[in-house]
Amino acid sequence: MARTVADVMTKSPASVDAGQPVSVAAALMRDRDTGAIIVNDDGRMTGIVTDRDITIRLVADDKGPDTPVREACTPSVEVVGPDTSIDQAVKLMRQHAVRRLPVVEDGRAVGILSIGDLAMERDPNSALADISSAEGNR
């Protein structure tokens, strides 16, 4: 059984610069079959943008696809290191009601831990594990 975040995280997460248009983040989400993209400023993680962020913060306010990612992203994000125990990561996710935790080393994202990753590790027969391991919609 996995013991640390590094054992179950999704490695090499997609990332986008905070000044890039949100359309670039949306295209990465499509191409990488993910709902979250790491947001960087000068190579350092400064936030995360999700498909829901784009919908709620941009589309609902009639902002276009050229809007910079920094206007859609969540800048204050709980993060963990790769050596964080899975139990501690689960505790953080529960405390902060988040579905994903960026995994950061030296200010740079090296992975993302999602509730789907945890479901596949801890309860592989669950509906969430089945959904998380299924091929994405294209």
Side-chain angles (χ1 to χ4, degrees), residues 9-21:
M9 71 182 187
T10 300
K11 295 171 177 61
S12 302
S15 65
V16 64
D17 187 76
Q20 287 186 288

Side-chain angles (χ1 to χ4, degrees), residues 2 4-5 12 15 29 31 49 56 59-61 85 87 97-98 105 111 127:
T4 67
V5 167
S12 302
S15 65
M29 288 177 190
D31 296 346
V49 65
I56 301 300
V59 175
D61 288 338
S85 74
D87 290 338
V98 295
E105 274 187 312

Side-chain angles (χ1 to χ4, degrees), residues 114-135:
S114 72
I115 58 172
D117 296 328
L118 293 170
M120 290 186 297
E121 170 61 25
R122 293 276 174 106
D123 192 4
N125 296 318
S126 69
L128 181 56
D130 289 345
I131 292 165
S132 298
S133 64
E135 190 172 326

